[in-house]
Amino acid sequence: MVIPLSWYLILAAALFSIGFFGVLARRNAVAVLMGVELMLNAVNINLLAFWRAIHPAELTGQIFAIFVLTVAAAEAAVGLALIISIYRSRRTIQVDALDLMKG
Amino acid sequence: MNALDILQLLSPELILALTGFVVVSVDLAMRRRDEGRTAATIALLGLGGALVATLLLAFAGTSTVEAFTLAIDPYSLFFKALAIVSVGLVILASISFMRGKSRYLGEYYALLVFAALAISLAVSATNLVMVYLGIEFLSITSYILASYFRQDLRSQEAGVKYFLYGAVAGAVMLYGISLLYGATGSVDLATVGALFSAEGDQRLLGIAAIILLLAGFGFKASLVPFHQWAPDTYEGAPTPITAFLSTASKAAGFAVAGRVFMVALPNLVADWTAILGSLAILSMTLGNLVALKQTNLKRLLAYSSIAQAGYIVLGLAALNPGGDFDGVGGLLIYLLAYLFTNIGAFLVVMAIEQHSGSVDLAAYNGLIKRAPALALWMTLFLLSLAGIPPLAGFFGKFFVFAAVVERNLLTLAAIAAVNAVVAAFYYLNIVRAMFFVESEEQKPVSVAAGLSAALAISGIMVLVIGIAAQPFITWISRSVEMVLVSGM
């Protein structure tokens, strides 16, 4: 049995929403980053499902997904470095502790 | 197209990439002995070369040529020149400003050059994959630059906030891109534009994609409601980086949004102009109202730049191909004027910050007695931001407002006009502090050579664009024709 495209899209939309909820609800910077990774992987499912359903002969969707993975890794590297520098001076990575600037 | 042609078409990007690598290597070889002066010099030479290459391509009358997934057309060349000039001015001012504040200045200059490269790639992208890569390249370099003072709590906070907002905005934009790909099976902007219709379900999908994409573009351009990072990041980041983020990086957001919407979604033009129009109202109003009560000048200019983003996006919201004022032309003129004006204002902030260590409005009291030249430059920039003729900012506002009126969007025009008056109030408040408020401090302000050079360039350009606007307008209308012809 072939799994229809819509199932993949629903899975991706659910994953994206869970990731977005994580971003909004979590206070720990690393957990926020994990939410972002979920959102990016939801996009990857979308890209691959569309690629499989529409143009399996062209590799566009697959290559796009590989680019997304690569950029996500680079972004996580920079993000974790920033979080470590925060941790070194404040001993916390709670995002609501970042309140020096307001207004 | 043979290899030599491609090399020539991509020469700005190649020069920028090469410069970035040379700056890093030279800095390594110098073992950080001269506080980054060599690195900055090489970076400036490279940027100069890239600017010459860009202008040569622009004046050679290149029409739309595609090399790989990059369009070398007047539209992209205009934004490349803008980005290179902006980064050049920022580096010129950084030489004295950053000295002694960080041990890693070679990388700082290299990252700025790479940021210019990222903008060049993003603004010429004709392919959704390239759009994504360009924007993320720019974002990642900007995150590092915003938190460049690693020991400084505020700079750290600026970087982390920018990163968290940026990562989410990037992911949301990417979801929108995946929807466009799914609807058409192509990632090429022109093919998406040809296949995407405005009927039934596709229109709903298109509107969803527009909103998702706007999260990414609006984040770069700091449009309400994607602006929350801007005040904190602008305040905490090193001031030269704030100047960069508020001009070149913002321009990149508008450039990419303009190309993607005009080329990939021409059938939904009524929908995205309406959405952009409402974002314009929100940005102008919120930015100006909150700016009124700011006393930290970097924060005030942050809110002012959110409000300015609202005026700028009016150009796209009032898109009017074939009209006397086509909207996009207004957007480009506005961004050109805004580049020199806003960088100029931040250069004065840097000079005062170097002198007194403060960015509070109180540090500007009685500036006319202590540093008449600085006070006069600042007045020029603030008047241009307020849009007072005959300065550069006036022409930006004039062309954008004219397009809005020509499209008969009178409510939008009225709200924009009221906002311009509100904004004049807080700009003139700074002028009042500089001229009419006495200060206890009497020590004259000394300005470093690089910073005064950058200040003079920005100030003269604000005057030149204001007084002799015609050549700029001619160049810009040519850029607009090209992109409108290819898109609609």
Side-chain angles (χ1 to χ4, degrees), chain B residues 143-475:
Chain B
Y143 303 149
I144 306 174
L145 286 169
S147 59
Y148 215 79
F149 295 150
R150 281 193 310 166
Q151 316 297 333
D152 179 57
L153 290 179
R154 281 167 191 272
S155 183
Q156 285 175 354
E157 192 173 320
V160 169
K161 280 182 177 165
Y162 193 26
F163 167 73
L164 290 176
Y165 275 112
V168 178
V172 174
M173 174 184 79
L174 196 57
Y175 197 83
I177 291 179
S178 81
L179 292 184
L180 287 186
Y181 169 61
T184 58
S186 169
V187 286
D188 180 61
L189 291 181
T191 318
V192 173
L195 294 177
F196 211 98
S197 73
E199 326 255 299
D201 286 349
Q202 273 225 322
R203 175 153 177 264
L204 288 180
L205 185 70
I207 293 173
I210 289 168
I211 294 171
L212 293 169
L213 286 171
L214 262 178
F217 306 150
F219 162 75
K220 278 265 151 277
S222 69
L223 275 174
V224 177
F226 313 108
H227 69 288
Q228 286 99 336
W229 60 278
D232 291 353
T233 302
Y234 281 24
E235 184 185 338
T239 314
I241 300 309
T242 310
F244 166 76
L245 290 178
S246 72
T247 53
S249 172
K250 192 188 281 272
F254 286 113
V256 177
R259 192 191 287 279
V260 169
F261 287 151
M262 286 189 287
V263 179
L265 297 161
N267 295 327
L268 290 165
V269 62
D271 297 304
W272 57 258
T273 48
I275 295 173
L276 288 175
S278 40
L279 292 194
I281 295 177
L282 288 176
S283 299
M284 289 185 291
T285 315
L286 189 135
N288 280 330
L289 290 183
V290 185
L292 281 176
K293 58 167 194 181
Q294 301 300 325
T295 53
N296 176 320
L297 219 68
K298 273 167 93 177
R299 217 175 166 80
L300 187 148
L301 285 173
Y303 281 108
S304 131
S305 99
I306 293 171
Q308 300 278 351
Y311 301 126
I312 297 170
V313 85
L314 280 179
L316 274 180
L319 185 73
N320 187 15
D324 287 338
F325 299 99
D326 50 30
V328 191
L331 174 96
L332 269 63
I333 295 168
Y334 205 123
L335 281 169
L336 180 72
Y338 176 75
L339 168 84
F340 291 109
T341 311
N342 217 43
I343 285 206
F346 274 113
L347 290 170
V348 178
V349 174
M350 276 179 235
I352 300 293
E353 190 180 347
Q354 246 183 321
H355 170 75
S356 66
S358 164
V359 289
D360 273 333
L361 189 55
Y364 293 77
N365 287 347
L367 196 66
I368 186 73
K369 292 209 182 105
R370 291 180 287 145
L374 269 186
L376 288 174
W377 280 134
M378 189 61 165
T379 310
L380 178 82
F381 297 131
L382 291 171
L383 292 181
S384 175
L385 277 176
I388 289 170
L391 300 171
F394 165 73
F395 282 95
K397 280 210 174 59
F398 174 75
F399 278 91
V400 166
F401 285 18
V404 174
V405 173
E406 201 177 79
R407 274 284 310 277
N408 226 1
L409 302 167
L410 294 180
T411 329
L412 209 53
I415 295 174
V418 171
N419 264 296
V421 177
V422 175
F425 179 78
Y426 61 80
Y427 292 134
L428 293 179
N429 192 30
I430 306 173
V431 177
R432 187 186 64 92
M434 290 192 299
F435 280 81
F436 302 116
V437 180
E438 294 294 323
S439 105
E440 302 89 67
E441 207 197 310
Q442 298 300 333
K443 211 172 82 190
V445 182
S446 63
V447 185
L451 221 160
S452 1
L455 205 52
I457 296 173
S458 316
I460 290 169
M461 285 307 287
V462 168
L463 285 169
V464 167
I465 298 172
I467 293 163
Q470 199 50 47
F472 297 98
I473 294 169
T474 316
W475 182 29

Side-chain angles (χ1 to χ4, degrees), chain B residues 101-179:
Chain B
K101 291 202 173 96
S102 166
R103 286 173 57 215
Y104 308 102
L105 286 173
E107 289 89 334
Y108 170 83
Y109 295 117
L111 281 169
L112 273 170
V113 173
F114 282 128
L117 172 64
I119 296 177
S120 304
L121 294 174
V123 300
S124 15
T126 59
N127 178 305
L128 289 168
V129 182
M130 200 62 213
V131 166
Y132 171 66
L133 291 178
I135 289 205
E136 286 296 310
F137 184 9
L138 174 59
S139 293
I140 291 176
T141 37
S142 312
Y143 303 149
I144 306 174
L145 286 169
S147 59
Y148 215 79
F149 295 150
R150 281 193 310 166
Q151 316 297 333
D152 179 57
L153 290 179
R154 281 167 191 272
S155 183
Q156 285 175 354
E157 192 173 320
V160 169
K161 280 182 177 165
Y162 193 26
F163 167 73
L164 290 176
Y165 275 112
V168 178
V172 174
M173 174 184 79
L174 196 57
Y175 197 83
I177 291 179
S178 81
L179 292 184

